[in-house]
């Protein structure tokens, strides 16, 4: 009976150990990487304030792994087993393997399920607030100016670029003088009211195809609105089969009706600081919609976004957008007329 030599494979340990990190991927991401057109992966982290101590920054440090449209948390998991990385080597004139690194931990990638909206909102420090009631109003920026284009701004948000873009559109964020800016909810109502009034006056059917850039430029020239925000509002209300950036578009009825209602309710709360008659709210809401959409303005459309302090009054769910002291002090500054205030702001 013949026998074979079963001496095994010689194993050695390299004197100069190398540094490696093992990354354990979920099946969904592994399938993407093994596909004919694998995605480009990037690692993002939230920048830490320079005022924090080094130890505080280390405690809060975290990173995510991103494809173009998905985000994965990276979590370091220590293992009690010794994991060695080896490579073929010639050991004492015999073929064998040599351990070139020892890994005591593994990075695990877990899909992120939370929304990026709050992260994008918190990162935008420049706020645009405008209100107009019966021709009497104010408009001004507040907060720090961060000179970053949108693409550079997304690089510091711990979500994929596609998810950041989706949150940007949902918030109606816009770029003003190469800096990200965010409108308050009352501002959205103020702008929509002017958008709708102008559309009616010019015979523009917002539910049909119209040229966004041209309409935004008209509102900037004639009403003093910021064209970037006008376009952002239209992009927020586009049908799902159209993308932000398309020049010709239409307003989606299903998205528009509840969005206008929530914006109006926030504006009423910011202006009056008290619950308003429900009938008054519904009338204002319906008057800001195309005739065929008025019947959709029902409380059910904004379910979860309001409270009824009494049988006849309504208020937004949660705190007011601005404190009463801020609103009263801001509204007393500078010219009170709507057009005058906007023109003054544009010249700054």
């Amino acid at each position: 009976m013949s026998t074979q030599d079963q001496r095994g494979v010689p194993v050695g340990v390299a004197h100069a150990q190398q540094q490696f990190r093992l990354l354990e991927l979920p099946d969904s991401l592994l399938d993407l990487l093994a596909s004919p057109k694998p995605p480009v992966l990037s690692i993002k982290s939230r920048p830490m304030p320079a005022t924090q101590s080094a130890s505080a920054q280390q405690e809060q440090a975290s990173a995510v792994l991103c494809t173009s449209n998905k985000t994965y948390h990276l979590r370091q998991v220590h293992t009690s087993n010794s994991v060695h990385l080896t490579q073929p080597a010639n050991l004492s004139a015999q073929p064998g393997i040599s351990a070139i690194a020892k890994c005591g931990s593994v990075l695990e990638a877990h899909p992120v399920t939370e929304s990026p909206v709050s992260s994008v909102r918190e990162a935008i420090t420049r706020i645009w607030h405008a209100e107009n009631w019966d021709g009497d109003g104010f408009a001004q920026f507040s907060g720090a100016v961060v000179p970053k284009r949108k693409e550079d701004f997304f690089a510091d948000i711990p979500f994929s670029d596609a998810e950041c873009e989706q949150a940007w559109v949902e918030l109606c964020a816009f770029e003003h003088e190469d800096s990200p800016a965010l409108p308050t909810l009352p501002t959205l109502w103020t702008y929509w009211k002017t958008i709708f009034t102008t559309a009616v006056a010019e015979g523009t059917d917002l539910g049909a195809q119209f040229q966004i850039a041209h309409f935004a430029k008209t509102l900037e020239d004639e009403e003093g609105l910021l064209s970037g925000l006008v376009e952002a509002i239209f992009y927020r209300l586009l049908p799902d089969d159209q993308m932000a950036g398309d020049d010709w578009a239409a307003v989606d009825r299903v998205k528009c009706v509840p969005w206008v209602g929530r914006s109006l309710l926030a504006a009423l709360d910011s202006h009056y600081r008290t619950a308003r008659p429900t009938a008054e709210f519904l009338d204002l809401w319906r008057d800001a919609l195309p005739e065929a959409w008025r019947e959709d303005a029902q409380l059910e459309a904004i379910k979860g976004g309001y409270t009824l302090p009494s049988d006849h009054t309504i208020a937004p769910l949660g705190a007011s957008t601005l404190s009463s002291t801020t609103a009263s002090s801001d509204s007393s500054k500078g010219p009170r007329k709507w057009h005058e205030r906007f023109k003054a702001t544009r010249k700054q």
Side-chain angles (χ1 to χ4, degrees):
M1 181 176 179
S2 63
T3 60
Q4 294 181 340
D5 190 357
Q6 301 290 336
R7 290 179 298 175
V9 179
V11 177
V13 178
H15 177 71
Q17 292 285 288
Q18 301 181 34
Q19 298 295 322
F20 283 91
R21 299 298 296 272
L22 297 181
L23 178 60
E24 184 177 332
L25 301 177
D27 292 340
S28 58
L29 183 53
L30 188 60
D31 290 342
L32 285 176
L33 293 177
S35 65
K37 294 183 178 180
V40 175
L41 300 182
S42 61
I43 293 180
K44 286 185 174 184
S45 63
R46 190 190 305 273
M48 295 296 172
T51 54
Q52 283 189 337
S53 64
S55 59
Q57 291 185 15
Q58 186 173 3
E59 289 179 2
Q60 298 181 24
S62 62
V64 294
L65 183 68
C66 298
T67 65
S68 61
N69 60 357
K70 297 290 184 182
T71 306
Y72 299 84
H73 279 304
L74 291 179
R75 186 177 64 182
Q76 180 172 274
V77 179
H78 292 277
T79 174
S80 58
N81 298 322
S82 296
V83 179
H84 293 273
L85 297 183
T86 64
Q87 67 179 17
N90 190 7
L91 303 176
S92 301
Q94 296 184 41
I97 57 175
S98 175
I100 60 173
K102 179 181 178 180
C103 299
S105 62
V106 176
L107 288 177
E108 294 181 345
H110 299 273
V112 173
T113 57
E114 59 261 31
S115 168
V117 170
S118 60
S119 293
V120 173
R121 181 191 291 115
E122 292 170 3
I124 300 178
T125 56
R126 196 178 193 192
I127 307 301
W128 174 240
H129 185 73
E131 288 195 48
N132 176 28
W133 298 94
D134 300 324
D136 188 18
F138 69 96
Q140 66 181 26
F141 278 108
S142 63
V145 177
V146 179
K148 283 185 178 181
R149 299 302 301 269
K150 184 170 68 171
E151 294 76 12
D152 298 326
F153 173 75
F154 285 172
D156 292 332
I157 306 297
F159 285 89
S160 69
D161 287 351
E163 291 169 311
C164 289
E165 178 66 28
Q166 184 179 6
W168 178 277
V169 171
E170 182 174 338
L171 292 168
C172 294
F174 62 104
E175 289 182 274
H176 182 72
E177 298 177 348
D178 294 333
S179 175
L182 187 69
T184 61
L185 288 177
T187 301
L188 296 178
W189 161 251
T190 297
Y191 267 57
W192 174 257
K193 184 169 56 173
T194 306
I195 289 171
F196 179 70
T197 302
T198 303
V200 172
E202 296 190 354
T204 301
D205 183 0
L206 295 176
Q209 292 286 317
F210 63 93
Q211 197 170 16
I212 291 179
H214 174 74
F215 196 77
K217 187 64 168 59
T218 299
L219 287 169
E220 181 180 55
D221 294 340
E222 297 182 1
E223 302 294 338
L225 303 191
L226 299 178
S227 60
L229 178 52
V230 174
E231 293 182 10
I233 290 173
F234 283 135
Y235 295 151
R236 169 65 175 81
L237 302 177
L238 286 179
D240 290 336
D241 58 354
Q242 289 189 277
M243 298 179 60
D246 291 348
D247 194 22
W248 286 86
V251 173
D252 185 83
R253 175 176 179 171
V254 175
K255 290 184 178 181
C256 181
V257 173
W259 180 87
V260 171
R262 288 191 294 267
S263 300
L264 167 60
L265 195 56
L268 290 171
D269 179 63
S270 174
H271 184 67
Y272 292 104
R273 303 297 172 186
T274 185
R276 301 301 299 167
T278 305
E280 174 194 55
F281 163 70
L282 290 173
D283 286 342
L284 288 172
W285 186 6
R286 290 164 183 156
D287 288 344
L289 296 172
E291 187 66 30
W293 301 1
R294 289 171 60 90
E295 62 185 29
D296 297 348
Q298 306 290 337
L299 294 184
E300 181 66 22
I302 56 172
K303 185 177 180 180
Y306 69 91
T307 182
L308 300 175
S310 71
D311 293 340
H312 307 290
T313 58
I314 188 171
L317 193 65
S320 299
T321 305
L322 297 174
S323 67
S324 56
T325 55
T326 301
S328 60
S329 61
D330 285 346
S331 60
S332 63
K333 296 179 181 179
R336 294 279 296 177
K337 292 299 182 181
W338 175 245
H339 296 287
E340 293 175 1
R341 191 59 187 257
F342 265 127
K343 289 178 181 178
T345 304
R346 293 171 64 196
K347 293 178 181 178
Q348 292 177 355

